[in-house]
Amino acid sequence: MVGLSDAAEGGVQPRFGFLSGRRGRYLREALQGYLYILPATIILVLFHFFPVFYAFYISLHKWFIVKGPYIGFANYHRALTTDKFWNAIRVTLWYVVGTVPIQLFLALVIAYLLFQKIRGKEGLRMIYFLPYVTSTVASGAVFAKMFNPTFGPVNKVLAALGLPMLRWMKEPRGIFTVLGEQLGIHFPFAGPSVALVTIMFFVIWFWVGYDTTIFLAGLGAIPYELYEAAKIDGAGRWQLFRHITLPLLSPTTFFLSLVAVIGSFKAFNHVFIMAAASANEIGGPLGTTTTMAILIYNNAFGTPTFGYASAMSFLLFILILIVSLIQNYIGGKQVHYM
């Protein structure tokens, strides 16, 4: 069979007159392009766009197991006027603030060290990346056992060092409150719960290897001639890092921070597993690990109120969109490209 482009190149006139000439060639190329992207477009429409619009349709109804009456934006109003919703927002924000900066800082330090000429750095890179390729369900369950308040190895180490043991995933009090009691210091705010901080330990451990790998790629893209020229001018190690490495690594830092923040707002797997395995309560104790994703899950499959859960999903989407736009606005001024 002679294709459209083959027909034109071989001197064979296409069957349709409007496909001849220069304009016809552009039309043929456009038609071929649309045919190439058609399979991917069909998949996106069926499994991405349609579910989103249908979820919005569900959020406008009093939808339990089956479709209920149309209630407009009542589900959105209910969410915005409920204490559980704002508690989930607060917990999620603590989760984001307590994980993203620390994991990026540790990853940058590790990447910078592994980028130097040291022995065995290939093996170290593999070791740091291993947590990322493990299952979040399996590794989350292991962490839950490690921080078990009764027989967990973490508490046994604390006891061996003469330090007080903690309840970890079963402790709803704030981390600064607990530390203040042990140190005899009064902190003006409680901070995230000890249970949420335990989950943060896991998240940092899990993501540092991935961030380190991306930072290593960013470091490798910086021209070495810039360092040589700066050394000739008398720049020291800190000046090289401050004035060359950090600015030229800013696109990588911006990308990782954006991905990390979006992923943290949607965190679910490890939060679900660690809470279920330790506290025997999804989102517990006392709702101190109820992130937005957990709250949506509890309302979608616990009650279930699919309309209400769908409304909260779109509110979470709006929150992520606002935060991403702010990050993009601020990052656009701070990012330096070569």
Side-chain angles (χ1 to χ4, degrees):
M1 180 179 293
V2 179
L4 296 176
S5 59
D6 296 335
E9 293 177 359
V12 180
Q13 292 297 325
R15 181 176 299 178
F16 303 101
F18 68 89
L19 294 178
S20 60
R22 178 179 298 178
R23 183 178 181 183
R25 179 166 59 85
Y26 291 141
L27 290 175
R28 291 194 300 273
E29 292 177 355
L31 179 60
Q32 288 177 340
Y34 285 124
L35 288 175
Y36 285 134
I37 66 174
L38 182 61
T41 303
I42 293 175
I43 293 175
L44 287 174
V45 170
L46 290 179
F47 297 103
H48 289 271
F49 300 136
F50 174 74
V52 169
F53 286 108
Y54 195 67
F56 180 72
Y57 174 76
I58 292 175
S59 71
L60 301 178
H61 293 76
K62 192 174 182 180
W63 200 302
F64 293 96
I65 300 298
V66 295
K67 177 183 175 182
Y70 173 80
I71 57 175
F73 290 93
N75 284 323
Y76 294 88
H77 179 267
R78 175 188 171 189
L80 293 173
T81 55
T82 302
D83 291 337
K84 288 185 177 180
F85 175 83
W86 292 108
N87 175 71
I89 292 291
R90 180 179 60 83
V91 171
T92 304
L93 291 177
W94 271 123
Y95 177 87
V96 174
V97 173
T99 57
V100 174
I102 297 176
Q103 73 186 42
L104 291 180
F105 173 76
L106 292 177
L108 177 59
V109 172
I110 295 172
Y112 191 74
L113 294 176
L114 292 179
F115 197 70
Q116 310 304 315
K117 296 180 180 180
I118 58 176
R119 292 183 179 181
K121 61 181 180 181
E122 290 78 10
L124 291 174
R125 291 179 182 181
M126 182 187 67
I127 291 173
Y128 282 115
F129 191 72
L130 279 178
Y132 180 73
V133 299
T134 60
S135 169
T136 54
V137 175
S139 53
V142 170
F143 259 72
K145 298 300 180 183
M146 289 176 57
F147 286 92
N148 186 283
T150 305
F151 54 82
V154 175
N155 264 353
K156 291 183 178 180
V157 172
L158 292 177
L161 296 175
L163 299 175
M165 296 186 293
L166 300 177
R167 296 175 62 198
W168 297 113
M169 286 298 299
K170 294 184 179 181
E171 180 58 79
R173 293 182 300 167
I175 182 65
F176 296 112
T177 300
V178 174
L179 290 177
E181 291 180 356
Q182 303 299 328
L183 300 175
I185 302 174
H186 175 71
F187 291 99
F189 52 91
S193 69
V194 175
L196 186 62
V197 171
T198 307
I199 298 176
M200 292 178 185
F201 288 153
F202 170 82
V203 175
I204 294 170
W205 169 83
F206 184 84
W207 281 103
V208 160
Y210 171 82
D211 295 339
T212 299
T213 303
I214 303 301
F215 271 129
L216 283 170
L219 289 170
I222 300 176
Y224 190 72
E225 292 80 6
L226 296 177
Y227 292 107
E228 292 180 337
K231 288 178 181 179
I232 294 174
D233 292 337
R237 286 191 174 184
W238 169 247
Q239 292 173 317
L240 293 175
F241 181 79
R242 171 66 180 84
H243 297 287
I244 296 180
T245 303
L246 279 182
L248 296 184
L249 207 59
S250 57
T252 305
T253 306
F254 172 69
F255 165 76
L256 288 176
S257 62
L258 188 64
V259 172
V261 168
I262 293 175
S264 297
F265 272 104
K266 300 187 299 180
F268 177 79
N269 284 1
H270 51 281
V271 182
F272 181 94
I273 292 298
M274 293 185 68
S278 298
N280 296 322
E281 179 184 358
I282 309 303
L286 301 180
T288 56
T289 61
T290 303
T291 60
M292 277 300 300
I294 295 295
L295 182 64
I296 293 169
Y297 170 85
N298 287 337
N299 283 275
F301 300 100
T303 309
T305 52
F306 295 118
Y308 184 47
S310 297
M312 287 191 293
S313 299
F314 277 93
L315 291 175
L316 176 61
F317 164 74
I318 294 173
L319 177 60
I320 294 175
L321 180 62
I322 293 174
V323 173
S324 300
L325 290 175
I326 294 174
Q327 278 188 281
N328 196 36
Y329 175 77
I330 298 175
K333 297 182 177 181
Q334 302 297 327
V335 174
H336 303 276
Y337 296 96
M338 288 182 289

